[in-house]
Amino acid sequence: MTLVVAVTTGLVAALLLPTPSVLQDVAHTGSGHVPVPLVVLVAAAVVGVAVLHGRQLALAGIALLVLVAVKALLARERAARAADVSAGRVMEFCESVAAELVAGQPPHRVLERSGEEFPEFSGVATAARLGSDVPDALRRLATLPGCGDLRLVAAAWQVAHRSGSGLAAALEQVGRTIRERRRTSRLVAAELAAARATARMMAALPLLFAVAGSGLGVDPLAFLTGTAAGVACLAAGLGLSWAGLAWLQRIADAVTG
């Protein structure tokens, strides 16, 4: 029963854990309004400390850390997928603008039309319409996740504007460069997918062995959750598994970055 309470407390705390943006809003608004998830989180923590003690409290902390780690991992994967979609939109934006410029359309008209087709880049069309610095607007958008290739578009735009050379030809070259870079990044991601899958499988193997051991009458789960030494082994094993996944992610970021 205490194990169920421990895991439930950790689950509630992890699911309701406020994000840094929420905490910053509470700190900076000064309105005195505390978000409901933060109130429930504090209440869950108080109840957990009051009900649990010793080994059960440690198990609740481990459950909390595991669920927070899984939540962070899923959020990172969602952010990576969103960045990949944004990178694809940057390539389409560049190729679309280059194609219309080749057709003889004036740059400001092309950017206005691109703002309708690519609303996420409408700030560039606004800058062109107001006579502002288009390369600067492109560089500001390039700071968004997955939009880094807009710096190449900004550089080509600025060079063509200063030198009077063909903007369409410059953007066509940039478009080909972006397409080649995306092809390379996809090949690298495909090669890394197998390594990531293997690492996650290796991280899940201890749990599978523990479940298999329970079926053989050894009952390792009772040792891991019912003794102080077992709880320490459980915490150390989970920590090492997470460290391995984080290390692999750093290697992948170094390759793809």
Side-chain angles (χ1 to χ4, degrees):
M1 181 64 183
T2 55
L3 177 60
V4 174
V5 175
V7 174
T8 302
T9 303
L11 177 63
V12 171
L15 293 178
L16 296 177
L17 191 68
T19 60
S21 61
V22 173
L23 296 177
Q24 291 173 1
D25 292 341
V26 174
H28 294 298
T29 54
S31 61
H33 174 69
V34 180
V36 174
L38 184 58
V39 174
V40 179
L41 174 64
V42 174
V46 171
V47 171
V49 173
V51 175
L52 305 176
H53 58 85
R55 187 171 62 252
Q56 289 76 30
L57 185 60
L59 289 173
I62 292 173
L64 172 63
L65 293 176
V66 169
L67 291 169
V68 168
V70 171
K71 185 178 179 181
L73 181 62
L74 295 176
R76 187 184 185 97
E77 291 184 350
R78 286 194 299 269
R81 288 195 296 268
D84 184 67
V85 172
S86 297
R89 294 286 286 174
V90 168
M91 183 184 67
E92 295 172 3
F93 169 78
C94 180
E95 293 179 341
S96 174
V97 170
E100 293 199 34
L101 289 173
V102 169
Q105 297 293 327
H108 68 277
R109 181 67 59 82
V110 171
L111 290 179
E112 288 181 2
R113 294 178 60 178
S114 68
E116 299 174 358
E117 185 178 357
F118 303 93
E120 61 269 46
F121 306 138
S122 59
V124 181
T126 302
R129 184 172 60 253
L130 298 176
S132 184
D133 191 348
V134 172
D136 184 63
L138 287 167
R139 291 190 183 95
R140 285 197 301 268
L141 289 174
T143 60
L144 299 176
C147 297
D149 286 334
L150 283 176
R151 293 187 181 92
L152 299 177
V153 181
W157 198 288
Q158 187 168 10
V159 169
H161 177 72
R162 288 182 176 179
S163 63
S165 61
L167 178 60
L171 289 184
E172 279 187 320
Q173 181 60 43
V174 169
R176 286 192 293 269
T177 301
I178 294 175
R179 182 172 290 277
E180 288 297 326
R181 291 177 61 170
R182 277 188 56 77
R183 184 180 295 112
T184 302
S185 65
R186 287 184 179 277
L187 288 175
V188 173
E191 293 295 332
L192 289 174
R196 285 173 171 164
T198 302
R200 291 173 183 175
M201 182 183 67
M202 294 297 294
L205 279 180
L207 177 60
L208 297 178
F209 287 148
V211 173
S214 299
L216 296 175
V218 180
D219 200 9
L221 294 178
F223 167 74
L224 292 173
T225 60
T227 64
V231 172
C233 291
L234 178 63
L238 291 173
L240 290 174
S241 296
W242 176 253
L245 292 175
W247 185 26
L248 177 64
Q249 186 61 51
R250 284 180 64 88
I251 295 174
D253 291 342
V255 173
T256 58

